[in-house]
Amino acid sequence: SLHGGLKGFDKVVWQAQPLARGAAQGVKFSYTSKDGEEGYPGTLQLSVIYWLDDANEWRIEYEATSDKATPLNVTQHAYFNLQGEGRGDILGHELTLKAARFTPVNAGLIPTGQLRAVKGTPFDFTAPHRIGERIGVEDEQLKFGGGYDHNWVLDNQSGSLALAAIVHEPTTGRVLEVLTTEPGIQFYCGNFLDGKISGKSGGTYTRRSGFCLETQHYPDSPNHPEFPSTILAPGKTFHSTTVYRFSAK
């Protein structure tokens, strides 16, 4: 997402530049969003660098400046299935989130402003749980999202890079760790995938056949002053880093 989170990357053309840093290979994507584009103030200069290294890490580095104060909340919306592409649903994946609270939503999936404790709820992933273990229980929040489609408040609020999530797929042993400097992470388990999208192997992506872990500031932050601010002021530079690390056990 870009600027206020409403602009799609597929609607604009990004400039690409190959990079190298030690053993890591990368590409830098840059885009200028003009003042007033989609209603957002300021000329926004945004770059996103994707790095791949020999430690099986996909590192994403964001940087942005604006000449007027503007909302900015950028993230990565990749879908994962650690069984393999097109190999069924993700309900057996075991998830850990380093978060004791989440931001509950209303029926329109907009945060209410509350920071609610996960303890005693289906949203408690402070210890590993299968994604599908509690997804069918009677719970208003699960009903609103059709499953999990919520922002968790990460325990680390320092702005330094820290572990946010761990996913283990027990049949293959594959592990995904997510590290981020962001204060929140949106966990979405593909509730609205409907089989209309085909994958690279020709199979279709059916309901809950992929999950997303989107590092971010909390949704709707401009309307909740108690949330960490998403306003980028002129003269300031936005920096954000997220790492997706892959291994097996």
Side-chain angles (χ1 to χ4, degrees):
S1 55
L2 170 60
H3 239 170
L6 299 177
K7 185 180 305 183
F9 283 167
D10 58 340
K11 298 178 183 177
V12 298
V13 177
W14 293 67
Q15 300 300 312
Q17 174 188 356
L19 299 174
R21 184 170 64 190
Q25 299 295 313
V27 58
K28 180 178 181 179
F29 295 100
S30 302
Y31 179 69
T32 299
S33 178
K34 295 180 181 179
D35 185 14
E37 186 174 350
E38 294 196 341
Y40 292 99
T43 298
L44 181 76
Q45 304 283 349
L46 176 65
S47 69
V48 184
I49 303 177
Y50 291 167
W51 294 104
L52 291 175
D53 62 24
D54 291 340
N56 296 319
E57 291 183 346
W58 174 27
R59 185 181 184 96
I60 305 169
E61 298 175 352
Y62 305 90
E63 184 173 294
T65 59
S66 176
D67 57 7
K68 294 180 182 177
T70 188
L72 179 71
N73 195 8
V74 288
T75 192
Q76 169 59 230
H77 200 294
Y79 284 86
F80 297 96
N81 186 329
L82 299 183
Q83 295 180 97
E85 190 267 335
R87 296 293 182 90
D89 65 46
I90 45 78
L91 298 179
H93 290 53
E94 298 167 349
L95 172 66
T96 304
L97 293 174
K98 303 293 186 179
R101 297 176 296 171
F102 76 109
T103 52
V105 296
N106 60 26
L109 299 183
I110 303 299
T112 63
Q114 181 186 5
L115 305 182
R116 184 179 297 175
V118 301
K119 188 175 182 180
T121 78
F123 291 81
D124 188 352
F125 288 94
T126 54
H129 286 276
R130 289 182 294 105
I131 291 173
E133 183 178 333
R134 301 161 297 176
I135 203 169
V137 304
E138 187 66 25
D139 181 271
E140 182 183 63
Q141 288 296 305
L142 290 175
K143 185 181 298 184
F144 285 161
Y148 297 109
D149 189 6
H150 296 73
N151 171 75
W152 271 254
V153 177
L154 293 173
D155 296 337
N156 175 51
Q157 297 282 309
S158 69
S160 60
L161 189 68
L163 184 64
I166 306 168
V167 186
H168 173 235
E169 203 293 295
T171 65
T172 63
R174 294 177 182 134
V175 176
L176 167 62
E177 296 172 288
V178 184
L179 300 88
T180 189
T181 59
E182 289 293 299
I185 191 166
Q186 185 89 9
F187 168 49
Y188 171 57
C189 62
N191 306 307
F192 299 108
L193 294 174
D194 58 6
K196 294 180 180 178
I197 300 174
S198 297
K200 60 185 178 183
S201 64
T204 56
Y205 292 148
T206 56
R207 188 174 191 234
R208 295 174 177 165
S209 61
F211 67 88
C212 304
L213 288 166
E214 305 164 54
T215 59
Q216 61 180 12
H217 276 55
Y218 315 155
D220 202 34
S221 287
N223 295 313
H224 297 286
E226 67 275 19
F227 286 1
S229 177
T230 56
I231 302 302
L232 174 61
K236 300 292 185 180
T237 301
F238 170 84
H239 293 282
S240 180
T241 300
T242 290
V243 177
Y244 295 94
R245 178 190 294 157
F246 300 89
S247 60
K249 67 176 183 179

